[in-house]
Amino acid sequence: MNDILNPEFLQQLAETAITWISINGINVLVALLFFVVGRWVAKRIIALMRRGMLRTNVDETLSSFLCNIAFYAMLAAVIIAALGQLGLNITSFLAVLGAAGLAVGLALKDSLSNFAAGVMIILLRFFKKGDYVTIAGTSGTVESIKIFNTFLTTPDNQQVIVPNAGVLSGTIVNVTAKDTRRIDLVVGIGYGDHIPKAKSILEEIVTGQEGVLKDPAPTIAVSELADSSVNFVVRPWCRTSDYWKVRFALIEKIKLTFDEQGVNIPFPQMDVHLFKEEQ
């Protein structure tokens, strides 16, 4: 500590610093200027790139991802060029950086797998922000697609984070990809009930329900003679955004109308017959 505070040592340090600045000062200023100007130019290019994508209706997630990748690539090039202005051996620097990158890549292979999967998801556009999807066994609305993970919000407002590699390794169901969706209901009536009457009631309920589309036409047909009931399939179409509203309304209206019209909706039951053995 005393050696560091020695006046002779401090004087030598000052002289060394002055000598280095006098020799390399211009290069340092040029490197700093190169970095500042290069960074400003990179930001301007990215701003123009982002506006161009917005004008061509490129997906928000895709445009944000591409702009971030492009910006950091240009920033890396600016930094390397600035280091070159300082007189550093860029070739050796890049070789060391490449070796370090390889070591880091081997250590973080799972993260790199998620990164590659994130690039594929964004470029191939299997889904976008706001879509309701089922991925990796989890259903929810896509909140955001990051480089390593996809964020979902479930209907009960829980956040689920799914690694991107897990998204691509399984089946992707995009519920909201299409504008229309079919509602599939199975409605049973008793074997003692009149089939034409029940079918007529179902047709009246479906055609009168708000939100049910006329085209494609709904399907109402006897599908099965089950153990305890005669089953109808009821398959109307609606807009995807109205799916749950229309489905819940139909189920409630079918039950209330069947009760009013005296049509039985059976529940599973078993008749047991006992025979007394003759002595």
Side-chain angles (χ1 to χ4, degrees), residues 121 124-135 138-142 145 171-181 240:
I121 291 170
L124 298 179
R125 302 181 67 181
F126 296 116
F127 49 81
K128 62 183 184 300
K129 180 179 179 182
D131 284 348
Y132 188 87
V133 298
T134 299
I135 53 176
T138 302
S139 298
T141 302
V142 178
I145 305 169
T171 301
I172 300 172
V173 179
N174 191 336
V175 177
T176 53
K178 302 295 184 180
D179 293 333
T180 58
R181 188 177 173 190
T240 302

Side-chain angles (χ1 to χ4, degrees), residues 100-219:
L102 178 61
V104 172
L106 292 175
L108 300 176
K109 60 180 181 178
D110 292 337
S111 296
L112 292 177
S113 175
N114 287 327
F115 172 79
V119 173
M120 294 295 292
I121 291 170
I122 292 172
L123 292 179
L124 298 179
R125 302 181 67 181
F126 296 116
F127 49 81
K128 62 183 184 300
K129 180 179 179 182
D131 284 348
Y132 188 87
V133 298
T134 299
I135 53 176
T138 302
S139 298
T141 302
V142 178
E143 181 181 326
S144 61
I145 305 169
K146 303 295 184 182
I147 292 178
F148 296 108
N149 301 293
T150 296
F151 292 76
L152 303 180
T153 302
T154 61
D156 57 346
N157 204 33
Q158 297 184 63
Q159 186 181 69
V160 180
I161 303 172
V162 183
N164 287 331
V167 174
L168 287 187
S169 65
T171 301
I172 300 172
V173 179
N174 191 336
V175 177
T176 53
K178 302 295 184 180
D179 293 333
T180 58
R181 188 177 173 190
R182 192 181 72 185
I183 299 172
D184 289 351
L185 298 177
V186 177
V187 179
I189 65 171
Y191 272 93
D193 292 302
H194 194 230
I195 291 178
K197 177 184 177 181
K199 186 174 182 180
S200 176
I201 293 172
L202 290 173
E203 288 175 346
E204 184 178 345
I205 292 172
V206 170
T207 56
Q209 175 59 48
E210 182 182 357
V212 171
L213 301 177
K214 294 182 179 179
D215 185 23
T219 298

Side-chain angles (χ1 to χ4, degrees), residues 238-250:
C238 66
R239 295 188 62 81
T240 302
S241 57
D242 295 335
Y243 177 83
W244 290 108
K245 179 177 69 176
V246 175
R247 181 185 178 89
F248 293 152
L250 283 174

